[in-house]
Structure formats: structure tokens, C-alpha cells
Amino acid sequence: MLASASYLGKTISIHENRQLVREMQTIGNVSQISHHKNTGLVMATEAQQLCLWDHRAHCPLVSRLPAVPAMITALACHGDGALVGLTGTDHVVTVYDPRKWSVLHHWRAPLKYEAAFLELSLQAANLACFAAGSDSQLVYGHIATKEKKTCGFQADSRWMGLSKVPDCEMAVGITESGGVYALGIGKGEDVS
């Protein structure tokens, strides 16, 4: 399955085997989209809301989660679907439990600008997050601990993409200038 969104067209399109299966009309402009593997739902952000869509249902809009206080700029679904995270112009990462769609944690990401890319991790002893700012900053932090320790660096130009390496506490990103960077945390290492 391939899901795509049209920001100006306010649509979400679902394709299977190179064929358009369904096109769903949204109320707002879709800025981020992700597929939840366990449930088959398509998650889309419209301004300050996370909307859940099921392209197999007669009425495809499943739910609109309560609005967050800022415009959503990044959305992440953990690889096995155990967690869903989003962040916005307020720099706060909100992590949801998709079984109940309840909020598990909030983390104020120490970014100068809002996050453009977000990746969640359960490999560490605690819930952790990689967040790439809309400038050239990349940070890693533990979310579910009292001591919200972080580490990170500044790249040579703005981020074009970020992806977490499976089964490893590492994220790899590419910048506008073509630079490829990796931020990894070793097993048992303390983030300071």
C-alpha cells in the first residue's frame, strides 16, 4: 500500500499495485502522513489535529484526535506501531499509545526551530526520540525519564530527510548540500 497526500488538493490517495484504490477528501491541508502498520490506518495531520483514516471503511474518517496547541510539523510512527509521536511549532513532542489513542508522554525538544522530522525509538532502556529541526540541528533525547537528557549536533545545512536505522539506536539524515550524517547512541552509553 502507498498513501500520498495533496496539500493544496486536500486529499489522501491510496494506491495498491500501482492502481488508485481510494481518494479521500480532507477538511484541512494535510502536512504530514504516515501508515500505522498494526491497524492499517493512515494518519494525517491537518493544522493542529491528527486524523485517522481507514480506506477500507465506508466512512473512511475514523477519528480526529483533540487538537494540540500548535501547528503540527512532524509525525512519526514507531516501526512496530507501538507508539505514535508528533510535534509542532511549540517544540513539544507528544507520544500517543495507539491502542487507546491516549497521551503517554510530552517532551520539550531542545531545538532552536520547530522539528521538520521525527523518529521514535524503543531500543534504549527508555523511550527515546530523534528530532531534526527545520534548520540544521539534530537532537536525541530520552522522553520517559525524569532527567530528560539530550545530545545532538549542527549539520552543514537544512535537513531534507531523516530515518531511524532498524534495530539500532541510530538515525541517518541527508542535508540540502548533500551531506549525510548519522547520530548513534551505543548500548549502555549515558546521554549527557
Side-chain angles (χ1 to χ4, degrees):
M1 181 186 89
L2 172 72
S4 64
S6 171
Y7 180 82
L8 294 176
K10 297 182 182 178
T11 59
I12 297 172
S13 301
I14 306 297
H15 301 268
E16 286 182 6
N17 299 326
R18 298 184 189 180
Q19 297 210 351
L20 179 65
V21 175
R22 182 145 194 195
E23 192 168 78
M24 301 171 287
Q25 195 70 36
T26 64
I27 294 172
N29 301 86
V30 178
S31 58
Q32 299 279 325
I33 190 167
S34 185
H35 178 250
H36 191 271
K37 292 176 181 69
N38 287 355
T39 62
L41 295 177
V42 174
M43 300 174 294
T45 60
E46 299 175 30
Q48 295 173 277
Q49 285 193 314
L50 177 62
C51 302
L52 309 174
W53 297 84
D54 186 353
H55 71 282
R56 302 160 297 195
H58 177 68
C59 182
L61 181 60
V62 175
S63 180
R64 288 182 177 278
L65 295 183
V68 293
M71 295 293 287
I72 299 171
T73 59
L75 171 67
C77 182
H78 186 267
D80 67 356
L83 301 170
V84 173
L86 57 87
T87 186
T89 54
D90 60 354
H91 302 248
V92 175
V93 175
T94 303
V95 180
Y96 291 93
D97 177 356
R99 292 172 292 187
K100 301 176 191 171
W101 291 106
S102 58
V103 175
L104 290 177
H105 300 285
H106 292 288
W107 177 57
R108 174 119 175 108
L111 294 168
K112 184 175 181 181
Y113 299 101
E114 67 272 358
F117 301 98
L118 186 67
E119 290 288 340
L120 300 174
S121 176
L122 285 174
Q123 298 293 85
N126 298 307
L127 171 62
C129 173
F130 291 93
S134 57
D135 58 350
S136 58
Q137 193 176 3
L138 176 62
V139 296
Y140 171 88
H142 291 286
I143 296 176
T145 60
K146 289 182 182 176
E147 302 171 11
K148 307 229 186 285
K149 296 181 178 182
T150 61
C151 67
F153 66 91
Q154 199 87 19
D156 62 348
S157 59
R158 291 192 325 170
W159 294 104
M160 296 298 293
L162 179 74
S163 183
K164 186 184 171 308
V165 177
D167 301 324
C168 182
E169 203 64 7
M170 178 183 288
V172 178
I174 188 166
T175 62
E176 280 183 341
S177 65
V180 177
Y181 293 88
L183 176 60
I185 307 299
K187 288 189 177 187
E189 281 189 38
D190 187 26
V191 177
S192 52

